[in-house]
Amino acid sequence: MMSQILTHSFGKSFPPSLSFSGYVFLFVGIVGAYSNIYIGALFILAGIFIAFTRSGVQINLEENTYRDYNCFFGIRQGKWKSLEPYSYITLMQNHEESATLSRSNRRSITGSTTYYDICLLNGNHRERLTIKRITEREQASREIKKLSELLKLPMTKYMPCVNTKYNKKRKPRR
């Protein structure tokens, strides 16, 4: 009997500017292979790795395990770990920006995305594991309900326990 595995890809492992440089390495490697095959092959391999490596998470429902994986040439690599420490599931809104700096050190935003992460949380909410990333709120609400039933975990609001010792050490705000 084959076990049921949920797979979700988060996309490319590297940021867009680095992925673009992977395509540049690939092009330079192809052109450079005409003059020196070894250096060209090195650039081609580096370019393929940077441009096409993807990351994600897999959950094995029957064995109650998960793994964060990196996928290269269709081969997923990652270590399987137990889901036992996680006892809740939550939905978190995040905002991500891509920016570049000019030669005069001016920052310009090249892309901005709001997305919703479905995360597993441990008992005190200090550890979290992102298992799915969605760009639409309604779709995220439907998905968290499905995953809550599949994983048999209650939905909760993210509220990490605050360490009182840490608060005493912090400098008061002015």
Side-chain angles (χ1 to χ4, degrees):
M1 183 173 175
M2 191 171 179
S3 59
Q4 185 179 5
I5 296 177
L6 301 175
T7 303
H8 181 71
S9 175
F10 295 129
K12 294 187 178 187
S13 295
F14 299 104
S17 58
L18 194 57
S19 290
F20 178 75
S21 69
Y23 293 113
V24 171
F25 274 35
L26 186 60
F27 177 74
V28 168
I30 291 170
V31 172
Y34 290 111
S35 62
N36 187 332
I37 189 73
Y38 299 111
I39 293 176
L42 183 67
F43 273 90
I44 289 171
L45 287 175
I48 289 173
F49 178 77
I50 293 170
F52 299 112
T53 300
R54 303 180 75 73
S55 63
V57 90
Q58 286 186 311
I59 298 175
N60 187 331
L61 296 174
E62 290 181 5
E63 295 180 14
N64 202 32
T65 56
Y66 77 94
R67 74 173 172 175
D68 291 315
Y69 70 83
N70 285 313
C71 183
F72 184 63
F73 285 125
I75 300 168
R76 292 187 181 107
Q77 294 178 330
K79 196 173 188 179
W80 288 98
K81 300 174 189 170
S82 174
L83 279 172
E84 291 296 321
Y86 302 102
S87 50
Y88 299 103
I89 190 167
T90 191
L91 185 64
M92 299 178 71
Q93 180 178 346
N94 290 307
H95 186 75
E96 188 175 89
E97 290 181 346
S98 296
T100 58
L101 294 174
S102 68
R103 292 180 76 185
S104 60
N105 222 14
R106 292 189 182 137
R107 186 173 187 261
S108 66
I109 296 172
T110 57
S112 176
T113 307
T114 298
Y115 54 86
Y116 301 90
D117 285 342
I118 298 175
C119 301
L120 300 181
L121 302 171
N122 69 346
N124 61 5
H125 298 198
R126 299 298 274 173
E127 287 184 40
R128 69 177 184 224
L129 170 68
T130 303
I131 58 173
K132 198 156 194 169
R133 181 169 286 165
I134 302 171
T135 55
E136 296 176 15
R137 175 106 176 135
E138 296 81 25
Q139 183 183 1
S141 297
R142 289 191 303 268
E143 282 294 317
I144 193 170
K145 289 175 186 172
K146 286 182 199 175
L147 288 170
S148 176
E149 291 173 9
L150 278 173
L151 298 171
K152 299 176 181 79
L153 295 174
M155 289 188 283
T156 188
K157 185 177 180 182
Y158 177 66
M159 294 178 64
C161 296
V162 179
N163 187 344
T164 55
K165 288 181 184 177
Y166 175 75
N167 280 342
K168 288 178 184 177
K169 289 180 184 178
R170 280 183 67 186
K171 293 180 183 177
R173 292 185 181 178
R174 293 180 185 196

